[in-house]
Structure formats: C-alpha cells, structure tokens
Amino acid sequence: KGAYDPGHKYSQADIQRVISFAEEHGVVVMPEFDTPGHTLSWGKALANFLTFCPGKGTFGGDYGPIDPSKEHVYQLLQKLFSEIVRVFPSEMIHLGGDEVPFNCWKSNPDLVAWMKQKGIVGFDKLENYYENRLLDIIHGLNHSYVVWEEIFTNKLQIRPDTIVHVWKGNWETTMAKVVKGGFRTILSSPWYLNYITFSRDWKKYYEVEPLNITATTEEKKLVIGGEACMCGEFVDNSNVLSRTFPRASAVAERLWSHEKQRDEPDMEFRLDKHRCGMCARGIPAETVILRSFCPYEFRGYDDLHI
C-alpha cells in the first residue's frame, strides 16, 4: 500500500531476478531496510506502527518514525527480518538508522509517558532502546549488519561487530573516530553520484583516499571499503544508468587500487575505453573526456546485453 502505484513495487520474483543476475556477475546483494526513520510508506500498510505527531511528521505530515513503545512493532520486525535473511544470501543487512527526527517523538504525549514509565531519559536514549531491540533480533538470526554513522555519532551502545557507514561531511574526522573506537567502517561521503557537475567530475571521485585519516596502521585496517551512492529524488529509469556510469567506475578503481596509485592520464584513457565498451553492450554510459569518440554508439535499450 505504500507504493506509488501497484506497478512500482518489487515482487519476490523481481528480487530473485536481481539476486540471480548479481550472482552471475560475482556480486552479492546486501539489502537495506532503514529504520526507525524513512518508514513513512510502511505506515500505509501497517496500522499503529508509526509515531502519530500531527503537523510534525515526515514532510510536515502527521506521522514520523516508528513508534518504539509499541511491542507489536518488534514482533513485526522479527517476522520481516526473518523473511529477509531467507530471501537474500548476503551475510549482512544494512539497518540504516540515519536522519531520525526527534521532534515527532517529543510531541507524542503517549510516547513521552511511556518513556517516563520505562525510565528512558532523552530521545537519544529512546533511539538507543529501539536500536538495541532491533540488534537483538538481527543477532538472533546470526547475521552481521551495517548502520549509518548517526548510530555511532549519537553514542548509541553498539556492539563490537557493528560496521559503521560514514556518509556525511567531515568524513575524515568521523572515520578516524570510528576506527579508534575499534569499529569497522565503510565510506560513501564523497561518492554521491546524484550530485552532478560539469566536465570531468570523475576525477574528484578517483582522487579521494579513504585511508587519508589520522589513525594508526592497525586502525586503518578497519577501513574495509566504500560505496558509490545514487539518491533517487531526481533519478528514474530514464537516466539512472547514464548518471551512474562510468562515474561509478572511477569509485571502483579508487577502492581496489593501492593508495599510492594516482596515474590520472592512464586512468582517463582506460575509463574512456571502458565507457565505449559499455556503450557497445547497450549501456548508455556518459562521456568522460573532451572530444571522446566511440565506434559504438548507444542506440537504445533493445541492444542491452550484459
């Protein structure tokens, strides 16, 4: 019920096609189910699930994050994540945890009264209560997990096996704090491909060095990777591939290269050839250099073969 229309949702068959396609190309799909925020669409199908806060909810509406005081919420999450671990072969689940608006929680008198009864002082402690209930569920399913950086920076009580996903500004400082805390981390802050600019912006993605943080050699070993992200506010099926490729390839090159590998002219030459190869396979990859020419032009999605 939370979809824009019946055609804009994933069926079990759709998900299996994605997983199978990824496996054929050596990729493991790790799902993200972001809670307790970013769940407005869930409330369309689940009664008494979100926090009621007239005028102070998501997009100025009447509902905000999941209501942590409702015991049936955790029963539903148990059922949901039990299904997720059956469907997705990944040993990890991204649990989100970012951008939780406390104002909605603050304005709900029933929730505030419940917090007082439970001795929960402060909405950061309420978030901590919810996240720990969720982590109990995930650990019970024998799965590892990733969380957005707010879970760490808000000083929630997270477990040693937590992987912290850094996505906001001043990432060097945040990552240094994460690894000094003994947690593994991945980076996406400088690699949001939805922020488009003129000319060769692939270079700014290639020039990033995730290990350029104030940390010891041993602490830097906790930096385990990164992610090129694409927020979807201005992206749909008409432009997602051209906006993603080959710019995401520059991120991939950075992540699997040694930190001292910085040959930009060679990278530009190879990236241009890679882009032409994608066009030949029916992928509408954007040009990456001035006066780029490919013998194979993109001629439509009917030619797509991967």
Side-chain angles (χ1 to χ4, degrees), residues 130-184:
Y130 171 83
E131 292 294 343
N132 277 283
R133 290 289 301 269
L134 177 59
L135 296 187
D136 285 342
I137 292 172
I138 303 304
H139 273 274
L141 296 170
N142 296 315
H143 261 59
S144 300
Y145 56 89
V146 181
V147 295
W148 291 112
E149 67 176 75
E150 286 94 325
I151 299 297
F152 174 82
T153 56
N154 290 348
K155 299 181 179 180
L156 274 64
Q157 297 174 356
I158 53 180
R159 304 179 186 190
D161 60 341
T162 301
I163 299 173
V164 179
H165 190 163
V166 176
W167 71 281
K168 302 178 80 172
N170 199 25
W171 61 266
E172 296 94 336
T173 299
T174 302
M175 288 188 74
K177 290 179 179 178
V178 170
V179 297
K180 288 183 182 301
F183 298 102
R184 291 175 293 168

Side-chain angles (χ1 to χ4, degrees), residues 17-290:
R17 278 196 295 272
V18 171
I19 292 172
S20 297
F21 181 85
E23 287 180 343
E24 290 172 1
H25 293 80
V27 175
V28 176
V29 176
M30 180 180 69
E32 178 186 355
F33 287 82
D34 194 352
T35 69
H38 294 289
T39 50
L40 184 63
S41 63
W42 299 30
K44 299 289 185 179
L46 304 172
N48 202 28
F49 186 78
L50 303 181
T51 305
F52 182 60
C53 50
K56 296 185 178 181
T58 305
F59 304 125
D62 294 338
Y63 290 91
I66 289 173
D67 188 337
S69 70
K70 306 297 185 183
E71 193 61 31
H72 71 267
V73 161
Y74 305 102
Q75 296 170 3
L76 189 145
L77 291 174
Q78 175 74 55
K79 184 178 180 181
L80 171 66
F81 282 100
S82 295
E83 179 178 345
I84 290 169
V85 301
R86 289 195 305 270
V87 172
F88 290 90
S90 171
E91 296 180 355
M92 291 185 182
I93 304 172
H94 202 308
L95 300 178
D98 64 321
E99 299 180 317
V100 180
F102 289 172
N103 283 340
C104 179
W105 281 347
K106 289 179 182 178
S107 68
N108 186 294
D110 293 335
L111 178 56
V112 172
W114 177 86
M115 290 172 61
K116 185 176 181 180
Q117 180 185 6
K118 289 284 189 179
I120 299 174
V121 180
F123 293 93
D124 55 337
K125 298 297 188 297
L126 177 63
E127 183 182 24
N128 189 69
Y129 172 87
Y130 171 83
E131 292 294 343
N132 277 283
R133 290 289 301 269
L134 177 59
L135 296 187
D136 285 342
I137 292 172
I138 303 304
H139 273 274
L141 296 170
N142 296 315
H143 261 59
S144 300
Y145 56 89
V146 181
V147 295
W148 291 112
E149 67 176 75
E150 286 94 325
I151 299 297
F152 174 82
T153 56
N154 290 348
K155 299 181 179 180
L156 274 64
Q157 297 174 356
I158 53 180
R159 304 179 186 190
D161 60 341
T162 301
I163 299 173
V164 179
H165 190 163
V166 176
W167 71 281
K168 302 178 80 172
N170 199 25
W171 61 266
E172 296 94 336
T173 299
T174 302
M175 288 188 74
K177 290 179 179 178
V178 170
V179 297
K180 288 183 182 301
F183 298 102
R184 291 175 293 168
T185 184
I186 57 178
L187 175 67
S188 66
S189 301
W191 294 318
Y192 275 80
L193 304 180
N194 48 292
Y195 291 115
I196 57 175
T197 55
F198 179 72
S199 191
R200 306 168 182 173
D201 63 351
W202 66 267
K203 288 188 176 184
K204 68 181 180 182
Y205 303 131
Y206 180 68
E207 290 169 356
V208 172
E209 178 46 62
L211 296 179
N212 188 24
I213 59 176
T214 304
T216 66
T217 300
E218 286 302 308
E219 289 169 343
K220 288 182 179 181
K221 291 179 181 178
L222 296 173
V223 179
I224 61 173
E227 178 185 22
C229 295
M230 176 70 76
C231 292
E233 289 91 338
F234 298 98
V235 177
D236 61 14
N237 197 45
S238 68
N239 64 348
V240 62
L241 289 177
S242 60
R243 189 164 293 184
T244 301
F245 297 109
R247 295 155 77 232
S249 303
V251 180
E253 180 79 5
R254 177 73 275 135
L255 286 169
W256 62 48
S257 298
H258 190 278
E259 59 184 304
K260 293 183 179 180
Q261 176 62 40
R262 298 283 167 179
D263 191 341
E264 283 194 7
D266 178 68
M267 170 60 181
E268 186 170 69
F269 174 77
R270 291 184 293 107
L271 189 61
D272 187 42
K273 292 197 68 171
H274 181 55
R275 179 252 169 180
C276 288
M278 285 191 280
C279 287
R281 296 165 67 187
I283 301 171
E286 293 181 335
T287 58
V288 293
I289 66 174
L290 189 64

